[in-house]
Amino acid sequence: MTTPPVTMETVNIFDGKGMEENAKNVTQSKMLQELKAVIREIIQYFQEKEPECYKITSMKDEHCWVGELNGRTGWFPSKFVKTLDERSKKYSRAGDGFVNDEIIHLIKHKFCSALSSILQHGLKTSLLLPNSNHIWQYIEEVSNHEIGKDFQSVISRLVLCKTFRLDDEGKVLTPEELLFRSIQKINQTHPNEDMNSKFQSFIAYALNEQVLHLWWEILCNCDVIKHKWYRGCSFVTSPAWIEIKCEFRVLCNFTFYLPDVPHRFTSNKTKENLRREVSEMLVKHHLFSWDL
């Protein structure tokens, strides 16, 4: 029996490089599958929830309105509902983070965590300061770079939109301009928050405006900045980012109303608080109900 010749392939098996590469591939695959699993969970959540949108039939009383829901007519406190502009995007109670705990949990604790792991993978770090670089800093630098390509025209458009309120629905601004404007607003409205909280606000903005897939493409297509921040093994520098973009595109089919302020990224009122406030309102306006 003859011994097979030693080749470069057989050497690589024992020198540890092949095993290290396989470990990296397994890690990437696991992270990608976790992100896909969260997205599937969000899709399933929306599919199982029916939208609850009241049709207001009477607003004569300042405090108690009359409306219809699923064929039933009744009154409800006006302070606990929000009127919707029919010209705006379709409302979905399932995606309303101001009244729904479940969507907050899915986005804040699952989706943001999975996407943060994807963006942190392959991020270059300093030997002296291992945690010096943060994905929020990368997002800021990409935004500044993209907006700086055509600075004067962009600033003119932003001033024009602000003056004439043309960007209320995000339809006038380009994805790059909307990204720049959102980051500016996040930094201005809560400058003392940590970068993880700002990243969560960034995701909330992206989902609310239904542009997450477009912003993801901007972050992964900025070659000048991404090679400065990421190693070659990262998702951002590999073709895998295209697959992630396709996953994000599906989320555009759903409507989100998520709080953009980190400390409000939780449900505002519990059922107990809501019950107490309704009772106080009924007593105040002499609308008694023994059912309470």
Side-chain angles (χ1 to χ4, degrees):
M1 182 175 178
T2 59
T3 304
V6 178
T7 63
M8 290 300 297
E9 287 75 11
T10 58
V11 171
N12 285 338
I13 293 177
F14 298 101
D15 64 8
K17 293 182 180 179
M19 295 179 63
E20 183 179 354
E21 189 66 29
N22 289 334
K24 291 180 179 178
N25 293 336
V26 170
T27 301
Q28 285 185 326
S29 177
K30 182 180 179 181
M31 294 168 64
L32 186 58
Q33 292 305 317
E34 288 177 354
L35 179 63
K36 289 182 177 181
V38 175
I39 293 176
R40 286 194 296 269
E41 187 175 355
I42 294 174
I43 294 173
Q44 183 179 1
Y45 163 79
F46 272 94
Q47 291 174 343
E48 292 176 352
K49 298 287 184 179
E50 293 185 1
E52 291 187 7
C53 191
Y54 295 86
K55 179 182 178 181
I56 300 175
T57 57
S58 176
M59 300 173 63
K60 293 181 180 180
D61 190 288
E62 178 183 356
H63 306 285
C64 299
W65 293 349
V66 179
E68 297 178 359
L69 176 65
N70 300 329
R72 297 181 299 172
T73 302
W75 67 268
F76 48 86
S78 60
K79 66 180 294 186
F80 296 123
V81 295
K82 179 181 179 182
T83 55
L84 301 174
D85 189 344
E86 293 182 354
R87 298 169 298 177
S88 64
K89 59 186 179 180
K90 184 178 179 181
Y91 176 74
S92 171
R93 188 180 186 278
D96 192 341
F98 292 91
V99 298
N100 203 326
D101 284 325
E102 195 170 351
I103 190 62
I104 291 294
H105 177 74
L106 280 174
I107 299 302
K108 178 181 179 181
H109 298 290
K110 291 189 175 183
F111 184 74
C112 285
S113 177
L115 182 53
S116 176
S117 298
I118 292 287
L119 282 169
Q120 288 175 350
H121 183 70
L123 188 68
K124 293 180 180 179
T125 57
S126 170
L127 295 176
L128 298 178
L129 300 172
N131 299 320
S132 58
N133 291 338
H134 194 278
I135 54 179
W136 174 250
Q137 296 171 316
Y138 172 71
I139 294 171
E140 285 182 307
E141 187 165 344
V142 170
S143 174
N144 292 332
H145 175 79
E146 292 296 320
I147 217 69
K149 291 180 180 178
D150 198 7
F151 181 77
Q152 291 301 328
S153 63
V154 167
I155 295 300
S156 299
R157 283 170 60 86
L158 291 175
V159 172
L160 181 66
C161 291
K162 183 176 181 181
T163 303
F164 294 98
R165 297 178 59 82
L166 297 177
D167 61 337
D168 286 346
E169 299 301 324
K171 295 179 180 178
V172 174
L173 301 179
T174 65
E176 291 81 4
E177 292 165 349
L178 187 59
L179 173 62
F180 178 77
R181 187 175 184 273
S182 298
I183 290 177
Q184 273 195 323
K185 187 175 181 180
I186 291 172
N187 285 329
Q188 290 172 0
T189 53
H190 33 277
N192 297 324
E193 299 290 344
D194 59 78
M195 287 185 283
N196 289 328
S197 297
K198 290 183 178 181
F199 175 71
Q200 291 178 355
S201 296
F202 167 78
I203 298 301
Y205 269 104
L207 292 174
N208 289 345
E209 297 294 340
Q210 299 176 319
V211 292
L212 180 59
H213 64 294
L214 299 177
W215 286 1
W216 173 257
E217 183 176 6
I218 293 172
L219 294 177
C220 297
N221 262 343
C222 189
D223 294 338
V224 177
I225 307 300
K226 75 178 181 181
H227 292 301
K228 171 185 172 183
W229 281 76
Y230 285 93
R231 298 188 294 270
C233 63
S234 68
F235 284 98
V236 175
T237 57
S238 71
W241 74 263
I242 300 176
E243 183 180 356
I244 297 175
K245 178 190 173 182
C246 294
E247 296 289 334
F248 289 163
R249 187 187 294 272
V250 180
L251 296 178
C252 294
N253 298 322
F254 307 102
T255 304
F256 294 87
Y257 286 90
L258 301 172
D260 60 324
V261 182
H263 64 269
R264 290 183 59 192
F265 214 71
T266 55
S267 182
N268 292 336
K269 298 178 180 179
T270 63
K271 292 182 179 180
E272 291 74 15
N273 291 336
L274 183 63
R275 189 185 189 93
R276 183 178 65 255
E277 292 187 16
V278 170
S279 301
E280 292 173 355
M281 186 275 296
L282 292 175
V283 173
K284 179 179 179 181
H285 300 287
H286 309 290
L287 298 171
F288 301 103
S289 173
W290 297 111
D291 294 336
L292 293 175

